[in-house]
Amino acid sequence: MKPENQDQAVHRAGPAKQDNKKHKTGRHRSKGTIEILKKGRSAQNTAKSKANHQLSRIERRHQAKILRKTKTDNVLNEKRRSLCVPHLVAVIPLSNNVFVNEKMMDMINILEKANVKLSTGVASEGYSNLWIEQFKQAFTFIRPDCSSVLGLLDTLKVVDTILFIVSADSGFDRDVDLLMTCILAQGLPSTVVAITDLDKIPLKKQNEAKQCIQKDIENWLPDEKVSKIDTSTDILNVLRRISSQKKRSITFRDKRAHLLAEELSFSPGADENIGTMKVSGFLKGQPLSVNSLIHIPGWGDFQMEQIDLTSNDFIKSFTGKDVQTTVLEKANPKLQDTLVCENIPDPMDTEQTWPTDEEMKDTTEKNKKKRMIKRVPEGMSVYQSAWIPDEESDHDDSNLEDDEGSDDFYSIEDENSDGELKSIIDDEMETMSVTTAASEAPIEADKYDLQFDIKEEQNILSKIKEAKLDQLFPDEVDTPIDMPARIRFQKYRGLQSFRTSPWDVKENLPPEYARIFQFENFDRTRKRLYKNLENLTGAMPDWYITVYVKNIPAKMFHSRDGRNPVVIFGLLPHEQKISLLNVVLKRPSTVNFDEPIKSKTELLFQCGFRRFTAEPIFSQHTNGNKFKYERFFHQDSIVVASMFAPIVYPPCSVIAMKYCKDGSFQIIGNGNVLSVNPDRVIVKRTVLSGHPFKVHKRSAVVRFMFFNREDIEWFKPVELRTKYGRRGHIKEPLGTHGHMKCGFDGPIKSQDTVCLNLYKRIFPKWTYNQFYNVTK
């Protein structure tokens, strides 16, 4: 007999399932029971779906055969295409004593002595071209300047393979951590690691040295196998591996047309300061239309005049195929994309608050006549006080909060007509120029303490203290004693629920929002653009073309760094326009940088193919329609940085760096582009705390939250919360010194803390600045 508690086995229908009659209930259910369970729903005859069809063995074999044939054809087509297109290889040394130019010459000499059929050449930009008859493959070796991290990252955006060379004699360089962190954060193409100088190590210790390097390289490249390049056989094995390995896909590069400049020339126009630059190279990625825009990293966005199809002399020498120079496309001014990146506000639109020129002149004249009183820290000179802003922004009160706890302030009066002020400023300028010139010299050991910047150390120490307080007591602010709280927090509001309470996204927008662009549906636009990439026309990938880029500044062309190549990226529609860019950032674990990053700190962003500086605001990376503002970018946190910047379609990698005094850049975060959404509501929370003075079951007298009776009446509608989870409200004020009677939803403890949460929307400032390459 079967136990009652054991479930009855249910038969599962197979492909030949029969359709029972509708009145057959099955499993001992009556018609009345079925009617009750259906609750008035009518039965629908569901057609059999092909997706649920179970394939037979023959069908599965046939499907696998077709899939295998498709993959094989794709690989063969890729190899046939690569016969006439050189394989771009960036050679990066990871040791101090490895000189790339000498190493490349040694490799070619070793191959020539081994009677390997090859052809060599040098491009006009200094790249080394190599053709191996045995592989029927051409290689282009690029030797970027590793001392410039930004130039190196620009080069690695377009290469197919990175060849890392490590010396077995000296090991890794001390800057390898920063270099590899930046490369991995941007997007890693295919890699090959080669070891050299093994002959300088005793024969018994060569295997041990190779294993040590293999173990160290696994910290960044876990699946990479180290190869040798000391003999001709080793060199051929490395080249065979480079040509035959699968190319790693980098999405932001493959979705856009890109080109490495092999030949450059400049022809000035009517104005000698501006001219046309001719860029020749192999096009990769997607087709390039002459009516679209291009971006040169470190230079900016430009328009094109013409695209020509030309022949490459090195490829023609061993293939014998000659291509006549033909004009593919000429720009059409009616169809060409414009370089307009900002929206022009309409002064007749009542929803926009853009001031007119007359209003701006009136305000400037009124400001000149006024005498301004500034609050200046004690010990600051008159010249230094001139850099303090006269008026704080309406959308930022962080400076006011920082200054509330400091008492070392005094007031000075500033007058524009004061002649004595100009003389003081001149003296200060002379002093600063002398100091700057002295600081550029190397610091001696005995004079280290004399040039020690104690103010900078105190500034960093104060940031560390603020970051720790923010972690221990998030968003808590002391109520000011010398100012009414209803005036200090007049722009804040209370929310019954941070998650569900409504917030109008178009409420009280700053004037900067009239200058940006917004998508009706950003995700739908991005999907449509990526879907239409196959229908693009113009120059096709793998063609050797010459692009005529117009309106290039002559100073920019002649002052470029010749050690790093010039790279061109084709822009997708609307990518030159400015909107609100949101990127997700996290701290890299391989870089030791413990200094806290405060919100609205100037950072350098490497966003895919684009580079710029901005002062973003941080917010939490959560779900919902409102996001809490973060005052600091802590070490183990993930934040969303929002800033005004050009539109970039995700997926796209992002690197955030901070500028150091010595001219270098320190990476502080990496991540990806989240969205382009000006309607992202970032809410700043301010917590006012009080302490129970007298407790009686569910009611208590709270003090130290306010210091006058009017503030208690003003904030009476806002709900109270305690750190132990109680919720309550203000009943009535007691006296005139800030004591108030509060009621809660349960018994409250005397050691509990009463909190009042206030919220205000935060907007980023217009701090976007196009970053241009520097020679350093």
Side-chain angles (χ1 to χ4, degrees):
M1 184 175 180
K2 187 176 181 180
E4 295 181 358
N5 57 356
Q6 186 175 356
D7 295 336
Q8 184 178 358
V10 180
H11 172 69
R12 295 185 179 179
K17 175 188 175 182
Q18 66 179 9
D19 295 330
N20 296 328
K21 297 180 179 180
K22 295 181 181 180
H23 69 275
K24 298 293 185 181
T25 59
R27 299 189 66 183
H28 311 291
R29 291 186 300 174
S30 64
K31 295 181 180 179
T33 305
I34 293 177
E35 292 295 331
I36 294 173
L37 293 176
K38 288 197 300 184
K39 297 180 181 180
R41 295 190 295 266
S42 59
Q44 295 180 355
N45 295 326
T46 56
K48 292 185 178 180
S49 174
K50 291 184 179 180
N52 297 329
H53 174 63
Q54 294 182 358
L55 300 177
S56 62
R57 174 189 279 182
I58 298 176
E59 290 175 334
R60 289 197 303 269
R61 285 182 177 179
H62 184 63
Q63 189 181 47
K65 182 180 179 180
I66 294 176
L67 183 62
R68 187 167 56 250
K69 185 176 183 301
T70 303
K71 290 184 178 180
T72 304
D73 294 341
N74 293 336
V75 172
L76 291 177
N77 292 333
E78 185 68 24
K79 286 186 177 181
R80 293 190 189 100
R81 288 174 51 195
S82 63
L83 291 178
C84 297
V85 179
H87 197 97
L88 298 181
V89 182
V91 184
I92 299 177
L94 299 181
S95 303
N96 289 326
N97 60 346
V98 175
F99 301 99
V100 178
N101 294 332
E102 297 178 2
K103 193 63 185 176
M104 293 300 301
M105 293 297 297
D106 294 340
M107 291 170 60
I108 294 175
N109 293 333
I110 292 173
L111 292 177
E112 289 178 347
K113 291 179 181 179
N115 296 326
V116 177
K117 293 184 180 180
L118 54 86
S119 300
T120 59
V122 179
S124 60
E125 287 297 302
Y127 316 139
S128 299
N129 295 323
L130 179 64
W131 165 263
I132 303 295
E133 183 68 26
Q134 182 177 348
F135 305 144
K136 302 293 183 181
Q137 178 66 55
F139 302 90
T140 298
F141 293 95
I142 309 169
R143 302 178 292 272
D145 181 21
C146 296
S147 61
S148 175
V149 178
L150 301 180
L152 175 64
L153 292 178
D154 291 342
T155 306
L156 300 184
K157 288 183 178 73
V158 295
V159 299
D160 300 321
T161 304
I162 302 178
L163 176 60
F164 294 108
I165 299 181
V166 187
S167 175
D169 188 19
S170 61
F172 290 94
D173 190 8
R174 61 181 181 179
D175 297 332
V176 171
D177 287 335
L178 176 62
L179 185 67
M180 294 300 295
T181 301
C182 294
I183 294 175
L184 292 173
Q186 177 179 261
L188 188 69
S190 302
T191 57
V192 174
V193 181
I195 185 173
T196 184
D197 296 336
L198 271 177
D199 53 352
K200 297 181 181 179
I201 299 177
L203 185 61
K204 293 183 179 180
K205 295 184 178 181
Q206 287 184 3
N207 191 23
E208 182 181 355
K210 184 179 179 181
Q211 289 179 356
C212 291
I213 293 176
Q214 177 73 48
K215 186 176 180 180
D216 293 337
I217 204 68
E218 287 178 355
N219 295 329
W220 306 291
L221 306 172
D223 301 330
E224 194 63 40
K225 184 179 179 181
V226 177
S227 305
K228 297 187 296 182
I229 52 170
D230 289 335
T231 63
S232 61
T233 304
D234 297 336
I235 296 172
L236 288 176
N237 289 335
V238 170
L239 294 177
R240 182 184 292 107
R241 183 180 173 188
I242 290 175
S243 61
S244 61
Q245 70 178 351
K246 183 180 179 180
K247 294 182 181 179
R248 223 173 256 171
S249 176
I250 302 177
T251 308
F252 81 87
R253 179 184 71 178
D254 297 339
K255 295 293 185 181
R256 297 167 179 84
H258 56 275
L259 179 145
L260 175 68
E262 296 190 8
E263 297 180 9
L264 286 175
S265 62
F266 181 80
S267 57
D271 187 0
E272 296 182 356
N273 297 325
I274 297 177
T276 302
M277 181 175 66
K278 296 181 183 179
V279 184
S280 299
F282 285 96
L283 182 66
K284 294 189 176 183
Q286 300 295 331
L288 180 63
S289 175
V290 73
N291 292 322
S292 61
L293 300 178
I294 62 171
H295 177 81
I296 303 177
W299 291 30
D301 301 336
F302 300 96
Q303 292 178 327
M304 293 177 285
E305 288 184 353
Q306 182 179 324
I307 297 179
D308 293 346
L309 177 64
T310 56
S311 63
N312 184 272
D313 296 334
F314 180 72
I315 300 297
K316 184 178 67 175
S317 62
F318 54 79
T319 58
K321 296 181 180 180
D322 189 12
V323 178
Q324 295 183 355
T325 303
T326 57
V327 178
L328 291 177
E329 281 185 318
K330 285 189 176 182
N332 186 356
K334 297 181 180 179
L335 302 177
Q336 195 170 27
D337 294 339
T338 63
L339 292 172
V340 176
C341 61
E342 296 182 22
N343 184 28
I344 301 175
D346 185 7
M348 301 301 294
D349 193 350
T350 56
E351 294 183 357
Q352 297 174 345
T353 58
W354 191 257
T356 60
D357 294 338
E358 297 178 357
E359 293 176 348
M360 294 291 289
K361 291 180 181 178
D362 294 339
T363 53
T364 53
E365 291 178 358
K366 290 179 181 179
N367 291 333
K368 289 181 180 179
K369 296 178 181 179
K370 290 181 180 179
R371 296 182 59 174
M372 296 172 292
I373 298 178
K374 301 179 182 179
R375 302 180 67 202
V376 181
E378 188 175 358
M380 182 176 286
S381 64
V382 180
Y383 172 75
Q384 292 172 334
S385 67
W387 295 97
I388 297 179
D390 303 331
E391 185 178 0
E392 294 185 354
S393 175
D394 295 338
H395 309 289
D396 181 19
D397 59 344
S398 60
N399 296 329
L400 184 57
E401 292 178 1
D402 297 339
D403 297 342
E404 285 174 357
S406 60
D407 297 330
D408 299 333
F409 281 83
Y410 66 96
S411 299
I412 65 170
E413 293 187 358
D414 183 17
E415 296 183 4
N416 295 329
S417 61
D418 192 357
E420 184 180 356
L421 177 62
K422 295 182 180 180
S423 61
I424 295 175
I425 292 176
D426 295 337
D427 296 338
E428 293 284 345
M429 287 293 293
E430 293 177 2
T431 306
M432 288 186 65
S433 61
V434 174
T435 306
T436 305
S439 62
E440 292 177 357
I443 302 174
E444 298 179 3
D446 55 345
K447 297 182 179 180
Y448 182 80
D449 292 337
L450 297 177
Q451 298 188 7
F452 187 75
D453 194 351
I454 187 64
K455 291 184 178 180
E456 183 181 0
E457 294 292 325
Q458 290 177 352
N459 187 19
I460 295 176
L461 180 61
S462 63
K463 285 184 179 180
I464 294 174
K465 288 182 179 180
E466 290 179 9
K468 289 183 178 179
L469 286 174
D470 185 66
Q471 283 183 321
L472 294 175
F473 308 101
D475 303 325
E476 287 196 25
V477 176
D478 294 334
T479 306
I481 301 176
D482 56 346
M483 182 187 300
R486 62 186 182 278
I487 297 177
R488 170 64 182 84
F489 303 108
Q490 60 184 348
K491 297 178 182 177
Y492 288 78
R493 68 181 69 175
L495 295 179
Q496 186 177 5
S497 173
F498 183 82
R499 184 178 62 88
T500 60
S501 296
W503 197 300
D504 188 6
V505 296
K506 303 298 183 183
E507 178 186 3
N508 295 332
L509 296 179
E512 288 82 4
Y513 272 63
R515 302 166 58 185
I516 65 175
F517 295 86
Q518 182 178 4
F519 292 95
E520 184 177 353
N521 191 325
F522 177 72
D523 293 333
R524 183 177 59 193
T525 303
R526 178 180 62 87
K527 292 179 181 178
R528 186 182 71 249
L529 288 177
Y530 285 166
K531 187 177 181 180
N532 295 334
L533 289 178
E534 300 176 355
N535 301 327
L536 295 178
T537 58
M540 292 291 117
D542 300 334
W543 287 2
Y544 190 81
I545 61 174
T546 300
V547 180
Y548 294 75
V549 187
K550 63 180 181 180
N551 296 332
I552 295 288
K555 184 178 180 181
M556 183 178 292
F557 176 82
H558 295 296
S559 63
R560 63 188 176 89
D561 189 2
R563 297 173 294 180
N564 293 308
V566 176
V567 177
I568 289 180
F569 273 88
L571 295 181
L572 297 176
H574 313 298
E575 281 195 326
Q576 81 280 10
K577 300 175 182 178
I578 297 223
S579 185
L580 191 69
L581 184 66
N582 303 305
V583 299
V584 181
L585 295 178
K586 65 177 180 179
R587 288 291 190 96
S589 58
T590 56
V591 177
N592 296 325
F593 186 76
D594 299 332
E595 182 181 341
I597 305 300
K598 196 173 183 179
S599 189
K600 301 174 186 175
T601 301
E602 185 178 10
L603 300 175
L604 174 65
F605 286 93
Q606 179 86 22
C607 188
F609 56 89
R610 196 182 291 276
R611 190 184 305 121
F612 57 88
T613 59
E615 298 178 7
I617 58 175
F618 301 134
S619 59
Q620 289 183 348
H621 184 38
T622 55
N623 294 327
N625 55 3
K626 292 183 289 296
F627 307 91
K628 193 177 83 67
Y629 170 76
E630 291 289 332
R631 289 175 170 84
F632 287 92
F633 183 12
H634 294 291
Q635 187 68 28
D636 299 328
S637 63
I638 299 177
V639 298
V640 176
S642 302
M643 72 211 92
F644 292 112
I647 296 169
V648 179
Y649 297 104
C652 184
S653 60
V654 177
I655 305 175
M657 293 177 281
K658 186 178 180 181
Y659 181 76
C660 301
K661 273 192 170 183
D662 57 353
S664 62
F665 297 94
Q666 180 67 47
I667 180 172
I668 59 101
N670 62 288
N672 296 282
V673 174
L674 178 63
S675 63
V676 179
N677 183 19
D679 290 339
R680 181 182 175 90
V681 179
I682 302 174
V683 179
K684 182 177 183 179
R685 185 181 69 173
T686 297
V687 180
L688 303 181
S689 59
H691 303 277
F693 179 47
K694 295 179 181 180
V695 178
H696 180 68
K697 295 183 179 179
R698 296 169 57 176
S699 64
V701 178
V702 180
R703 61 178 178 177
F704 300 148
M705 182 178 290
F706 303 108
F707 299 100
N708 56 72
R709 190 181 184 90
E710 291 77 9
D711 288 343
I712 298 174
E713 295 288 351
W714 179 269
F715 290 100
K716 194 173 181 179
V718 184
E719 188 180 26
L720 299 176
R721 298 172 185 265
T722 69
K723 292 190 175 181
Y724 284 6
R726 297 299 180 191
R727 304 175 68 176
H729 61 279
I730 300 173
K731 288 185 177 180
E732 58 180 351
L734 301 176
T736 60
H737 295 286
H739 290 204
M740 56 185 181
K741 187 177 180 180
C742 304
F744 297 92
D745 58 353
I748 184 172
K749 297 181 180 180
S750 58
Q751 67 268 27
D752 202 349
T753 303
V754 182
C755 300
L756 185 141
N757 297 336
L758 299 175
Y759 301 93
K760 183 187 75 168
R761 185 176 179 183
I762 293 293
F763 301 95
K765 292 184 178 180
W766 192 283
T767 55
Y768 166 77
N769 186 19
Q770 176 71 33
F771 185 87
Y772 296 98
N773 277 347
V774 291
T775 57
K776 187 173 180 178

